Amino acid sequence: GGLVYRYENEAGYVKSGAAGPFGDALRFGFFLPQIFLIRKSFETEDPEYRMFVPESHSKQKNSKLSAPDWIDEDKVRKGENRSQKRKGKHKKGKLAPVKDVTAVDELEVFTDCRKNQECKYKALIFTMDSLKSRVDESKMGGASGEMTIRFSLQQGLSFLGIEAIVFRSDKEFEAHASKMHEYSLIFLDPWTWAARGWVLKPFLRDHTKKIFLLDFFGSDGHKNLNDLVPLSHHLTAYPVNPTNTFLGYFIEQKEDKPLSLKKMDRGVVWGKDSKYYHNRKDMLLKMASKCEIVSTAPESALPKHPNITSIGHLKPEDWIELLETSKFLVGLGDPLVGPSAIDAISSGAMYINPTFKTPKLAYYKSQHPFAKTSVPESVCDFNIEGSSSELLACIDRALKSKLSPRVPKELMLPSYMKRLREILS
């Protein structure tokens, strides 16, 4: 039931080893917990630390840096031999036809091709959230929604026999420019495709048919790219922008699960950045008149009230436990469509969803329109620009409710794999 992890430091040295169940997830706290519900008992390389190794370093001996105390040094050495055997296993050219995608097979068993070094193809991933600085920020509480999409993609590709190679900087990406032909698929984002002047990076010009953009919110693209990469190749977190394609992410668990923790008459505010709390003082005070309110934002962002508490940045598992013991999560209007709303619903908490008179980014009529359409019984809408009556009515409804944890079917593994196959076919 352990996780076999492998990471390569910036010098190109390889470390491998084994941790107990969810060991890496707990050590690298920036992972959202639902990603680690994928499998409890399979070998996998930690997706966040599968890096490009420059050729000049690929044959060097292992780093002399001491390993963390939770690494088995014997397994580290075995892991190095394992990584060397992988070389030469990938095929070039087109992908083999994918299996039929006309129906979702609820009982299908998905096997990670990395388990036995059976990946036949390679995919390249280079996005802003894969930059080392962004990864470091996420560990300290920074945005991680885009990472959720990328981690699911890496796992989903491995189920289709494709190993994803993640680049950490423009320098690494461009150093590999002459090898784009080795990749069957190339996943970028609305920024990493572009060279100076917002033109396609020259080394990508002969590979546009296999380029996809992980475009979290969706967009109408860029005038210098749309003729080369169609808008349908923009893959979004949720099905909002009709010109793009919904990829999403997945949460591997049963559709319904029993509640194991007692709910308290308490609400949680969605938003850990102080900027989301601007002009929301009155709203928070009215909420606090109803029940206890907790937030992960700094105390300086919150109004003074005995029912309002800042609990600071939480580890992923602690965040989920907070939602499992609270009656609701309330949005402030931003950030748009992050995973937190789904975290709440899958933890048996009501999500209180702000709506807007004028849609944001052209298509977003609420902070999380997908949550409302997918699991309406667990969502209560209120007009954030109107009076507080709708908000307070939602809080009353949440405090009286006894909701079962629900995972939207669209975010379950079979549905995700069906979409991914359709996109690649």
Side-chain angles (χ1 to χ4, degrees), residues 15-305:
K15 287 278 188 182
S16 303
F22 301 102
D24 322 63
L26 298 178
R27 179 160 178 93
F28 299 108
F30 57 88
F31 284 113
L32 292 177
Q34 58 262 41
I35 298 306
F36 280 87
L37 293 171
I38 297 167
R39 285 286 183 273
K40 290 185 179 180
S41 303
F42 74 116
E43 290 186 349
T44 181
E45 294 169 357
D46 182 335
E48 185 51 42
Y49 283 83
R50 176 66 180 97
M51 288 182 166
F52 159 59
V53 186
E55 284 190 353
S56 59
H57 297 297
S58 62
K59 297 182 181 180
Q60 291 187 25
K61 292 183 179 180
N62 198 45
S63 169
K64 298 299 183 183
L65 294 173
S66 60
D69 55 11
W70 49 279
I71 292 179
D72 184 326
E73 290 287 358
D74 291 333
K75 292 182 179 179
V76 168
R77 286 187 285 274
K78 292 177 183 177
E80 292 168 3
N81 295 333
R82 192 168 161 258
S83 68
Q84 292 169 3
K85 292 177 183 178
R86 179 184 290 107
K87 294 180 181 179
K89 283 221 173 232
H90 299 291
K91 294 183 181 179
K92 300 178 183 178
K94 296 181 179 180
L95 290 169
V98 296
K99 65 181 291 185
D100 178 57
V101 296
T102 57
V104 176
D105 183 355
E106 300 283 354
L107 301 179
E108 182 176 357
V109 176
F110 297 96
T111 303
D112 189 324
C113 70
R114 298 169 296 183
K115 181 177 180 179
N116 298 311
Q117 300 88 55
E118 294 176 344
C119 300
K120 295 181 179 180
Y121 304 95
K122 289 196 298 183
L124 181 156
I125 300 178
F126 178 47
T127 53
M128 292 295 289
D129 65 272
S130 71
L131 295 175
K132 186 178 182 302
S133 59
R134 293 294 180 91
V135 173
D136 292 341
E137 288 171 8
S138 73
K139 296 177 189 178
M140 303 303 295
S144 54
E146 288 85 354
M147 290 183 183
T148 304
I149 308 304
R150 177 164 58 82
F151 294 157
S152 284
L153 174 62
Q154 290 171 222
Q155 190 68 65
L157 289 172
S158 75
F159 292 151
L160 298 178
I162 306 166
E163 182 179 17
I165 311 300
V166 180
F167 288 77
R168 302 296 169 192
S169 68
D170 265 309
K171 184 178 179 180
E172 285 184 350
F173 186 31
E174 292 174 6
H176 214 52
S178 64
K179 298 185 178 181
M180 292 297 106
H181 63 281
E182 296 181 2
Y183 297 94
S184 300
L185 299 162
I186 298 173
F187 294 92
L188 306 172
D189 68 15
W191 298 275
T192 56
W193 64 270
R196 184 168 302 201
W198 286 98
V199 296
L200 185 68
K201 285 183 168 69
F203 58 85
L204 294 172
R205 289 172 185 165
D206 293 332
H207 305 280
T208 54
K209 290 184 178 180
K210 56 187 178 184
I211 292 176
F212 292 86
L213 299 190
L214 298 184
D215 194 343
F216 190 88
F217 300 105
S219 71
D220 294 325
H222 192 282
K223 63 181 181 179
N224 293 342
L225 183 67
N226 289 352
D227 289 340
L228 302 172
V229 178
L231 290 176
S232 61
H233 279 213
H234 288 238
L235 309 180
T236 62
Y238 300 99
V240 177
N241 190 320
T243 65
N244 303 150
T245 300
F246 169 41
L247 173 62
Y249 61 102
F250 65 91
I251 303 170
E252 174 66 2
Q253 62 183 70
K254 294 181 180 179
E255 183 180 1
D256 298 292
K257 63 177 182 180
L259 260 167
S260 57
L261 300 174
K262 184 179 179 180
K263 290 282 187 183
M264 301 173 61
D265 287 340
R266 176 179 65 201
V268 181
V269 184
W270 176 10
K272 51 197 169 188
D273 195 315
S274 298
K275 66 184 179 183
Y276 301 135
Y277 291 76
H278 184 62
N279 291 333
R280 299 295 184 221
K281 180 179 178 179
D282 289 343
M283 174 182 167
L284 293 170
L285 290 172
K286 288 175 180 177
M287 290 166 52
S289 69
K290 290 284 187 179
C291 64
E292 178 188 359
I293 301 296
V294 298
S295 168
T296 56
E299 187 174 350
S300 59
L302 306 175
K304 300 293 183 182
H305 191 283

Side-chain angles (χ1 to χ4, degrees), residues 382-395:
F382 76 99
N383 179 7
I384 197 169
E385 298 159 5
S387 69
S388 61
S389 59
E390 290 184 6
L391 169 62
L392 297 179
C394 283
I395 291 176

Side-chain angles (χ1 to χ4, degrees), residues 280 332-334 336 356 358-366 385:
R280 299 295 184 221
L332 299 174
D334 281 302
L336 288 176
F356 317 123
T358 303
K360 293 188 176 184
L361 300 181
Y363 298 104
Y364 290 87
K365 297 179 180 179
S366 71
E385 298 159 5

Side-chain angles (χ1 to χ4, degrees), residues 323-355:
L323 294 173
E324 288 179 339
T325 55
S326 300
K327 284 293 188 75
F328 64 88
L329 174 77
V330 61
L332 299 174
D334 281 302
L336 288 176
V337 292
S340 294
I342 305 302
D343 290 344
I345 292 169
S346 63
S347 299
M350 180 170 289
Y351 168 55
I352 300 179
N353 185 36
T355 61

